[in-house]
Amino acid sequence: MRSPTAGKNSAWPVTMVWGAAAVAPMPLAGLALTLFMPGPPAQVARVTAYAVGGVGICALILYGLGYALVHSWFSRNANWAVPALVPALALSLPWFGGLLHTMYLRRGFGIPSGTIQVSVYSSYAASLKPIGIALVLAVVVLAIAGWARHYYARVHSRGMVGIGVPLMSLFVIGISLTAGLLGAETAANRARTAAASGETPAAYYGVQGSLVCVKPVSKDIPVFNGPLATSRPLLTFGTSGDRVWLWDPRRDQALSLRLEDVVVTEAGASACG
């Protein structure tokens, strides 16, 4: 007859191996940083502490995700849920990037976003940061729910799906919109400040502004939201067909006029005129 403690004795070495494999990367990473990273000892110790803490947090998050997703609705329907997420992200990312470009141009400078040609890759790049932040936060919350499910029997997978998934969806959408729109508005404010001080603003995911001098070819030309300032640099983000949109830093006003009515040159260090 087999002893009841035989199974426990045989599982003990396996448990030790898995425990060592889970714990060993943290001290090994810290030892590698201590030995090979140049710099003063205080900086090495600080970076080592950050690295060890980061590895430990990642391990906790991965284990929490495992506890949350195993034997859940997602694990039972992953064969169609994961492929369905790919086209959804492929469509939502450029849409959200276009929304950020609209926020940047419309709220920051009063220029319609349709007048600026931006590539699809720039729209993807603009949306990756806010959506990435939202997904990371969602993963952290889901990992916390997984640990709660693991240690408390009252937290069941059905309850997590019925309550957690809708709340998580609202959480992800809210964080994505808020972080992205605030980031676009902040970037527009920095560009406005740079243009007002006579400096070329930094690019915002494919939208590059430049300071130009504009000289009319005749005395009376039609100018939308005029008058047209010819003695100081104006900010432009490019042309749209046969028209050009400009932003006057002093008046804080967007202007539009036909290209055939003006001569546009790059602004130098001195004033225009």
Side-chain angles (χ1 to χ4, degrees), residues 5-21:
T5 60
K8 296 182 179 179
N9 293 333
S10 61
W12 182 81
V14 178
T15 304
M16 290 295 297
V17 170
W18 278 108

Side-chain angles (χ1 to χ4, degrees), residues 57-72:
I57 292 174
C58 290
L60 291 175
I61 291 175
L62 290 177
Y63 273 101
L65 288 177
Y67 292 141
L69 299 179
V70 172
H71 302 300
S72 65

Side-chain angles (χ1 to χ4, degrees), residues 197-211:
S197 61
E199 301 177 357
T200 300
Y204 178 76
Y205 298 105
V207 179
Q208 177 63 64
S210 59
L211 294 174

